[in-house]
Amino acid sequence: MAIIKPFRGVRPPKELVEQVASRPYDVLNSEEARAEAGDNQKSLYHIIKPEIDFPAGTDEHDEKVYAKAIENFNKFQKEGWLVQDDKDRYYVYAQTMNGRTQYGLCVAAAVEDYMKGNIKKHELTRRDKEEDRMKHVRVNNANIEPVFFAYPHQAELDAIVSNVTKNAPEYDFVAPDGFGHHFWVINDDATISRITEIFASIPAMYIADGHHRSAAAALVGDEKRKQNPNHNGDEEYNYFLAVCFPDNQLNIIDYNRVVKDLNGLTDEQFLSALGKDFVVEEKGADIYKPTALHNFALYLSGKWYSLTPKAGTYNDNDPIGVLDVTISSNLILDEILGIKDLRSDKRIDFVGGIRGLGELKRRVDNGEMKVALALYPVSMQQLIDIADSGNIMPPKTTWFEPKLRSGLVIHKLD
């Protein structure tokens, strides 16, 4: 069962939301955050990327940076840029990209569900990244940014959300990236109770995006439980902030690779080596996009190629081995190019499909990279199947768009 509860959200007044809201902390670096915040003192970057309030080059993990986060969070509340709702509520958060809208529910998800595996993950987390976010949650005593969950779609929840969104939204704006963000507050007690009941019948939820934030939020909640001799299970720290979307509304887009060199091979030797395990077809100078699962696009020296793995080169019955990221990692990146660890090898970089295949071409044409590889995107069903089986996807497998906008609602732990 999925345990959720409504919460007293901390959020900006309607007239300030566009000034406060920001991109998530992990999709831009310190200098980009400094540039985006500019002279806007109300930008959430002052809380989630507080190193921007120090000279350029300041270590974002310095203790004074974490201290600045809580100083700014307190300032935002004192100035009325963030205000806490007067009662526990759920919220609907919808996003529009390319004319298509997906509708999520903002909830407080249970730490216990994460610890027991009822909130399922498909990626490994790194302890250093967990600890960074844990410090941020500790000092603020709040989940400033939500995590992105998927749940098996439910017709009754769809109907509830549809009914709520017939009303005028609390927030409705288009962010600088061109994506629309729409937000409704659910005030009706009967509706709130019913949402809680329906989620209690859902066997599991799935982390779509935000594995490190999920781990950090849950671990801090667990810490607080252990530190409280009067713990009773009802405390707010037993929950963390999530936006939950029905699985049938989500799309995963491609997550592509660019490599700096051919591991000492000439173009001809590299293409010949590919021919051992792939059917290689030259497609010319025009951008070629993979057409189906197990079809890859390769860009090398001004030409695009279609790569299709030959029969017997992968196992259809292996939930990990059948993934295109695994096939390409094993047969191309490892076997031919000598890239053994996608997490640490400096010869490889990754490009989210939101940038388009033109970005792959650009990085090869300008000499920064030697070869690019475009993959067909993983499906939501593949993600769910792998999470259900207890397996972990290879690094850099999934890319979700649009990203959640941070600052629309915050969850305090007290």
Side-chain angles (χ1 to χ4, degrees), residues 173-360:
F173 65 96
V174 176
D177 56 14
F179 300 153
H181 301 272
H182 330 283
F183 190 90
W184 292 260
V185 180
I186 301 177
N187 289 304
D188 180 67
D189 289 340
T191 301
I192 290 170
S193 295
R194 185 58 188 147
I195 290 171
T196 307
E197 290 171 358
I198 296 170
F199 269 88
S201 69
I202 295 174
M205 292 194 288
Y206 302 84
I207 302 173
D209 199 5
H211 281 76
H212 289 96
R213 272 168 283 167
S214 297
L219 289 168
V220 170
D222 195 50
E223 281 179 355
K224 287 179 171 290
R225 175 184 65 81
K226 292 173 180 174
Q227 292 164 0
N228 182 5
N230 300 312
H231 172 84
N232 61 30
D234 293 332
E235 298 88 354
E236 205 64 34
Y237 61 68
N238 293 294
Y239 299 87
F240 62 100
L241 179 61
V243 185
C244 307
F245 290 88
D247 57 359
N248 63 346
Q249 291 188 20
L250 298 179
N251 281 331
I252 304 173
I253 63 175
D254 45 311
Y255 208 165
N256 303 312
R257 285 90 168 99
V258 285
V259 181
K260 291 185 183 234
D261 60 69
L262 297 183
N263 198 27
L265 301 175
T266 65
D267 289 6
E268 293 73 19
Q269 289 169 332
F270 176 60
L271 292 169
S272 177
L274 287 171
K276 172 178 172 284
D277 292 316
F278 295 87
V279 175
V280 180
E281 301 174 78
E282 185 179 324
K283 293 293 183 178
D286 292 338
I287 289 176
Y288 173 76
K289 190 175 180 67
T291 56
L293 197 63
H294 306 332
N295 180 237
F296 303 86
L298 183 89
Y299 184 65
L300 174 69
S301 299
K303 293 181 181 177
W304 290 87
Y305 298 84
S306 166
L307 308 181
T308 305
K310 295 177 180 177
T313 57
Y314 59 90
N315 181 2
D316 271 323
N317 296 315
D318 178 351
I320 302 298
V322 76
L323 295 174
D324 283 350
V325 286
T326 306
I327 295 170
S328 60
S329 292
N330 290 346
L331 302 182
I332 303 174
L333 300 178
D334 182 348
E335 188 173 315
I336 301 176
L337 296 178
I339 295 171
K340 308 292 183 183
D341 187 347
L342 299 187
R343 295 178 185 275
S344 62
D345 198 305
K346 302 300 184 186
R347 296 167 55 219
I348 189 168
D349 197 9
F350 304 89
V351 182
I354 191 69
R355 294 179 177 270
L357 299 193
E359 175 68 5
L360 303 185

Side-chain angles (χ1 to χ4, degrees), residues 131-132 160 178 227:
E131 184 57 35
D132 166 55
I160 289 172
Q227 292 164 0

Side-chain angles (χ1 to χ4, degrees), residues 90-245:
Y90 290 124
Y91 308 86
V92 174
Y93 174 21
Q95 304 168 294
T96 300
M97 181 178 77
N98 298 331
R100 178 182 168 277
T101 303
Q102 58 192 31
Y103 295 85
L105 282 161
C106 295
V107 309
V111 167
E112 181 183 3
D113 273 351
Y114 183 88
M115 295 301 187
K116 288 183 174 179
N118 294 333
I119 294 172
K120 300 190 177 187
K121 52 193 176 186
H122 66 269
E123 287 183 5
L124 294 173
T125 53
R126 284 173 39 184
R127 185 61 189 179
D128 60 334
K129 289 192 172 185
E130 285 180 12
E131 184 57 35
D132 166 55
R133 285 303 95 185
M134 288 173 72
K135 286 182 179 178
H136 198 268
V137 174
R138 286 191 198 108
V139 298
N140 289 294
N141 200 35
N143 310 128
I144 303 293
E145 297 184 90
V147 294
F148 185 159
F149 286 174
Y151 65 86
H153 60 280
Q154 305 283 324
E156 187 177 355
L157 281 176
D158 290 347
I160 289 172
V161 169
S162 178
N163 190 54
V164 169
T165 57
K166 288 176 182 175
N167 301 308
E170 177 78 1
Y171 308 143
D172 191 10
F173 65 96
V174 176
D177 56 14
F179 300 153
H181 301 272
H182 330 283
F183 190 90
W184 292 260
V185 180
I186 301 177
N187 289 304
D188 180 67
D189 289 340
T191 301
I192 290 170
S193 295
R194 185 58 188 147
I195 290 171
T196 307
E197 290 171 358
I198 296 170
F199 269 88
S201 69
I202 295 174
M205 292 194 288
Y206 302 84
I207 302 173
D209 199 5
H211 281 76
H212 289 96
R213 272 168 283 167
S214 297
L219 289 168
V220 170
D222 195 50
E223 281 179 355
K224 287 179 171 290
R225 175 184 65 81
K226 292 173 180 174
Q227 292 164 0
N228 182 5
N230 300 312
H231 172 84
N232 61 30
D234 293 332
E235 298 88 354
E236 205 64 34
Y237 61 68
N238 293 294
Y239 299 87
F240 62 100
L241 179 61
V243 185
C244 307
F245 290 88

